[in-house]
Amino acid sequence: MGHYYLWTIGCQMNQADSQRLAAYVESLGYEPATSIESADLVLVNSCVVRQSAEDRVTYQLDSLQALKQAPPDMSIG
């Protein structure tokens, strides 16, 4: 199928959620990407309880928007 990249920020609960999400995405046929640039599917899992985490997510999403221009079929979630 394709490759996915999972970016996780937050507490241990977010890490556990990301592990479950990765297992689900892999069950759909996706394989982990070696870099965010080589992914067909980019997933962001974050906890926005703290302002610093929210700011990092906002910055990352802005960066992903620019990256998505190269392969317009990349999905971001």
Side-chain angles (χ1 to χ4, degrees), residues 45-66:
N45 179 19
S46 173
C47 172
V48 292
V49 172
R50 297 177 191 233
Q51 185 65 45
S52 63
E54 188 171 350
D55 292 343
R56 288 174 63 191
V57 169
T58 301
Y59 176 79
Q60 181 72 4
L61 290 174
D62 287 342
S63 298
L64 289 172
Q65 183 178 13

Side-chain angles (χ1 to χ4, degrees), residues 4 17-30 43:
Y4 75 94
D17 288 344
S18 286
Q19 289 174 348
R20 284 192 295 277
L21 182 56
Y24 175 71
V25 171
E26 288 175 19
S27 77
L28 297 175
Y30 285 88
L43 301 168

Side-chain angles (χ1 to χ4, degrees), residues 1 4 6-7 10 14 19-21 30 32 39 41-42 44 51 55 59 63 65-66 69-70 74-76:
M1 185 170 247
Y4 75 94
L6 179 55
W7 183 66
N14 285 76
Q19 289 174 348
R20 284 192 295 277
L21 182 56
Y30 285 88
L41 173 63
V42 177
V44 178
Q51 185 65 45
D55 292 343
Y59 176 79
S63 298
Q65 183 178 13
Q69 300 305 315
M74 173 191 284
S75 296
I76 300 172

